[in-house]
Amino acid sequence: MLNVRSIDPAAQDLIKKAHKDGIETVWDRYDKQQPQCGFGSLGVCCRHCIQGPCRIDPFGQGPDKGICGATADVIVARNLLRQVAAGAAAHVDHAYDAVEALELAAQGKIDYPIADAGKLKAVASGLGIDSEGKEPDALALEVVRVAYGDMGNHHNRPMKWVSAHAPKQRLEVWESLGIIPRNPDREIREAMHQTTMGMDADPVNLLLATAKQGLVDGYAGLKLATDMQDILFGTPAPVVTEANLGVLKEDYVNLIVHGHVPLLSEKIVQWAKTLSPEAEAVGAKGVQVAGICCTGNEVLMRQGVPLATNYLAQELAIVTGAVDAMVVDVQCIMPSLSQISSCYHTELITTMPIVKIPGATHVPFALEKADEAAQEIVRKAIGAYARRDPNKVHIPDYRAKIIAGFSVEAIAGALGKLDPVQPLKPLADNIVNGNIVGVVATVGCNNVKVTQDIFHVEMVKELLKNNVLVVATGCSAHALAKAGMMNSEGTERYAGNTLKAVLRAIGEAAGLGAPLPPVLHMGSCVDNSRIGDLVTALANYLGVDSAALPVAASAPEPQHEKALSIGTWAVAMGITTHLGVIPPVLGSKQVTELLTVGLTEVIGGKFYVETEPQKAALGLIEDIRKKRQALGLDQ
Ligand code: SF4
């Protein structure tokens, strides 16, 4: 029973320790929730007004409408729109923080130097801003003005971040459907308004509004956040490190950064190095920083910080008894961390005004005092090290070598060794000739309903065997990193022959002396924008709509509303998007049919739900082959 919780041997090991230590984990709480509410699972429960809650009888023997007359179709569509709007809101809020940081940095009001003037120029140029003769700070302020212009746009013009970055054919499709966002805050507000009691009762109109929220997420959330963060902290380039809980070190102060935003964690990485002598003074060899979730991915991509683990094993990191401090920022943070920390010596540190957890220490983070906060946090970790109980320490000795840092710029850099004039040509040529059958992006979370990591790993094995190149972000990237799919050995082991030959050729040309990994780590969840950029660049290079490309996406173990909003954006890009966990929509036949079939006619993309990994891979390959056929490419 214990071993079906996860395929990660480190997690399996620590689940046993958790039971021995009397720790309740996410899996125990999941068991206690069984059976879960069928109405909620089908999406047919409505609490949008206080005449309710209302629920529709899915068997047709009880109520078929809510008190106000809302049908199952209306209730399911409204619930979905709210979930997707919530996911988009999380990313837009993240992006807004990054815009503010760039503004303050450019004004010299905070100690965050602009790290990547080249990216700044590229972003400015994309927005039509001339950078000739301008200092980086002045140029950054012009870029910030455009971002604020989008955030505060009170006209009915499309957001510039959308019109500047989306594929041309897509803009035409979205315009015809009336779903190009004007201002992210306004669109999110409108979604809340549209779904409140007594508003929209047309499931089709509600789903179009949902697609619009996907675009809000894709451009005002993901793309904007990545652009700002690359300018501030640098565009990732290949880094080599390790993944899994074995990266924790018994004789070091272990400090875990967890959440999604790099604004504080970048400072923590810097101060962990600077304050290393203070760790040595208390008997440790230094400070080991490791990452969970997307904060982990952010500092991995730019600083080479090792990955500790992904979402579902966050509690188990503390169960090692070797984590001296875990600092969290926003999103995907289990409230249970506080209770578990109290059973060990771990200092759980919250930092953001909108994320406080009783029992945790709160060290307020403000951009103006980021260095002070980072120092305080590192010192708290060093202080906790002295309280560590060696009898409670168990670090499972599992870690896999990974090569990460594959921004679009880094991929173009590697490919440019084969064709410096047209760096995308080698990739496009190998897709056209069928050496690479297609590209699948695996993204998103773990979900306790699925054995941890199994869907990511087993599905990707099948894709690679069939010569499909995989790019990954988020907790999917963590899972594939831990499984050894992000190193050159992974290419030899998992890639089909033609894919292997391409990865060997690129690896040799790029001077790696070994093949490129078969799964390219493209970053955090907001860095799904990098995948969007790659898709857009490929579509432009081949002169086709992104909907026509032999490209698909998958969230094999989605749990968060953000996964739904990212997936909706991918569908709006015309991409078939697989979900390995059924979202709460099955209570409406109409909504389910529209999401999985009907949308294709109007938007090109669709959701594809399959809960068995091999079948999902084969389904995606079939979809890719159909697209190849439509383009007249070799099969
Ligand atoms: Fe019930 Fe309608 Fe109120 Fe929802 S909005 S709780 S369906 S009365």
Side-chain angles (χ1 to χ4, degrees):
M1 183 64 188
L2 286 178
N3 287 352
V4 301
R5 309 295 207 188
S6 175
I7 59 162
D8 172 355
Q12 290 172 359
D13 205 352
L14 288 165
I15 289 168
K16 287 184 202 147
K17 182 172 187 289
H19 280 247
K20 196 160 76 52
D21 291 356
I23 302 296
E24 183 185 73
T25 66
V26 59
W27 291 279
D28 302 315
R29 295 189 298 275
Y30 176 63
D31 286 348
K32 286 183 186 170
Q33 286 291 336
Q34 301 310 310
Q36 285 178 287
C37 171
F39 298 100
S41 302
L42 294 172
V44 289
C45 174
C46 180
R47 295 193 299 116
H48 290 204
C49 86
I50 47 180
Q51 298 174 100
C54 297
R55 45 195 207 178
I56 307 301
D57 183 350
F59 302 110
Q61 286 160 358
D64 63 351
K65 291 184 190 68
I67 293 164
C68 67
T71 62
D73 298 329
V74 173
I75 291 174
V76 168
R78 281 196 313 216
N79 286 344
L80 181 66
L81 175 49
R82 281 210 169 179
Q83 283 195 292
V84 171
H91 284 142
V92 171
D93 211 29
H94 173 160
Y96 196 91
D97 282 348
V99 176
E100 279 187 333
L102 182 59
E103 181 187 33
L104 292 170
Q107 290 169 339
K109 291 182 178 167
I110 56 173
D111 188 16
Y112 284 78
I114 289 173
D116 196 338
K119 180 77 178 218
L120 172 62
K121 278 188 186 168
V123 171
S125 152
L127 294 167
I129 300 170
D130 182 11
S131 52
E132 193 60 39
K134 290 176 187 160
E135 289 299 318
D137 287 347
L139 187 58
L141 287 175
E142 285 194 50
V143 167
V144 163
R145 262 197 294 280
V146 177
Y148 281 147
D150 274 352
M151 294 281 184
N153 175 26
H154 58 278
H155 307 291
N156 273 337
R157 68 157 173 83
M159 280 183 57
K160 289 216 170 120
W161 236 265
V162 179
S163 48
H165 300 113
K168 275 196 182 49
Q169 287 101 326
R170 286 286 98 193
L171 284 170
E172 283 161 23
V173 172
W174 300 336
E175 196 171 1
S176 72
L177 295 170
I179 60 171
I180 300 186
R182 302 153 291 183
N183 157 339
D185 292 348
R186 181 174 181 186
E187 304 302 359
I188 291 164
R189 169 172 22 102
E190 190 172 273
M192 296 303 288
H193 184 190
Q194 190 172 354
T195 51
T196 196
M197 193 271 153
M199 288 292 293
D200 204 345
D202 178 353
V204 174
N205 204 38
L206 285 160
L207 286 189
L208 284 173
T210 306
K212 188 195 270 186
Q213 291 299 317
L215 298 179
V216 169
D217 191 12
Y219 295 98
L222 315 181
K223 176 74 180 146
L224 185 56
T226 300
D227 284 347
M228 297 295 108
Q229 290 171 180
D230 278 358
I231 293 168
L232 272 173
F233 302 120
T235 303
V239 288
V240 181
T241 182
E242 292 178 316
N244 214 338
L245 285 161
V247 303
L248 300 178
K249 293 181 181 158
E250 213 159 325
D251 43 7
Y252 277 66
V253 171
N254 290 308
L255 199 173
I256 284 189
V257 291
H258 173 20
H260 284 76
V261 183
L263 294 173
L264 173 61
S265 51
E266 281 277 336
K267 291 284 186 187
I268 288 175
V269 173
Q270 181 192 324
W271 280 104
K273 285 180 199 149
T274 310
L275 298 180
S276 188
E278 292 187 23
E280 287 163 27
V282 298
K285 288 187 176 161
V287 181
Q288 172 70 46
V289 181
I292 292 181
C293 283
C294 282
T295 294
N297 283 323
E298 295 283 1
V299 289
L300 161 75
M301 293 287 283
R302 298 192 182 89
Q303 307 295 344
V305 169
L307 294 176
T309 193
N310 45 0
Y311 164 77
L312 210 47
Q314 59 185 277
E315 295 169 312
L316 299 179
I318 296 174
V319 173
T320 61
V323 173
D324 302 299
M326 182 184 283
V327 56
V328 300
D329 48 70
V330 295
Q331 304 166 15
C332 298
I333 298 149
M334 292 189 195
S336 60
L337 293 177
S338 168
Q339 207 271 322
I340 296 175
S341 296
S342 72
C343 300
Y344 299 90
H345 74 296
T346 309
E347 185 100 46
L348 178 69
I349 301 167
T350 54
T351 53
M352 305 305 257
I354 56 170
V355 184
K356 294 191 179 178
I357 306 176
T361 303
H362 191 72
V363 176
F365 169 69
L367 288 163
E368 294 80 358
K369 297 205 163 168
D371 288 287
E372 286 94 321
Q375 287 176 71
E376 187 180 343
I377 287 163
V378 174
R379 290 203 168 103
K380 280 190 187 300
I382 293 170
Y385 175 79
R387 301 195 299 273
R388 201 191 278 179
D389 179 353
N391 296 318
K392 286 189 175 176
V393 172
H394 173 63
I395 303 173
D397 190 18
Y398 297 101
R399 49 193 179 276
K401 179 184 163 188
I402 59 169
I403 308 174
F406 290 100
S407 56
V408 176
E409 292 84 345
I411 293 172
L415 293 170
K417 299 284 192 302
L418 293 168
D419 189 331
V421 182
Q422 299 182 86
L424 273 184
K425 190 171 184 296
L427 178 61
D429 285 352
N430 279 295
I431 292 174
V432 169
N433 69 21
N435 285 337
I436 297 174
V437 171
V439 182
V440 170
T442 70
V443 308
C445 342
N446 295 130
N447 183 317
V448 70
K449 294 177 178 173
V450 181
T451 297
Q452 186 197 11
D453 294 349
I454 196 168
F455 213 129
H456 297 285
V457 172
E458 293 305 315
M459 187 187 75
V460 169
K461 275 186 195 167
E462 193 66 35
L463 291 170
L464 296 177
K465 194 171 85 184
N466 284 282
N467 298 302
V468 173
L469 178 68
V470 174
V471 296
T473 57
C475 282
S476 185
H478 278 262
L480 301 170
K482 289 188 288 175
M485 292 173 154
M486 289 192 175
N487 54 43
S488 303
E489 294 74 31
T491 307
E492 300 296 351
R493 188 163 172 201
Y494 297 112
N497 286 337
T498 55
L499 174 63
K500 198 180 290 180
V502 174
L503 294 171
R504 277 182 186 153
I506 299 171
E508 286 303 326
L512 288 180
L516 216 59
V519 179
L520 302 181
H521 193 326
M522 293 192 74
S524 64
C525 287
V526 297
D527 291 340
N528 282 313
S529 64
R530 301 190 198 281
I531 299 173
D533 287 347
L534 188 60
V535 166
T536 304
L538 263 178
N540 289 343
Y541 180 81
L542 293 170
V544 298
D545 183 6
S546 54
L549 290 173
V551 167
S554 170
E557 303 174 20
Q559 60 87 7
H560 204 283
E561 290 163 322
K562 294 176 293 170
L564 292 177
S565 57
I566 295 168
T568 304
W569 169 58
V571 169
M573 288 283 282
I575 291 168
T576 296
T577 301
H578 163 254
L579 300 175
V581 178
I582 303 169
V585 298
L586 292 187
S588 164
K589 209 167 161 244
Q590 186 187 6
V591 171
T592 305
E593 199 274 335
L594 281 167
L595 291 173
T596 55
V597 185
L599 269 182
T600 313
E601 282 168 30
V602 291
I603 216 162
K606 61 173 187 271
F607 280 105
Y608 160 54
V609 179
E610 171 53 61
T611 58
E612 206 277 312
Q614 274 84 10
K615 277 193 199 160
L618 296 176
L620 289 173
I621 292 166
E622 193 188 324
D623 189 82
I624 283 171
R625 288 203 183 279
K626 277 189 194 149
K627 292 199 172 176
R628 294 187 67 87
Q629 196 173 20
L631 283 172
L633 303 181
D634 296 339
Q635 287 299 301

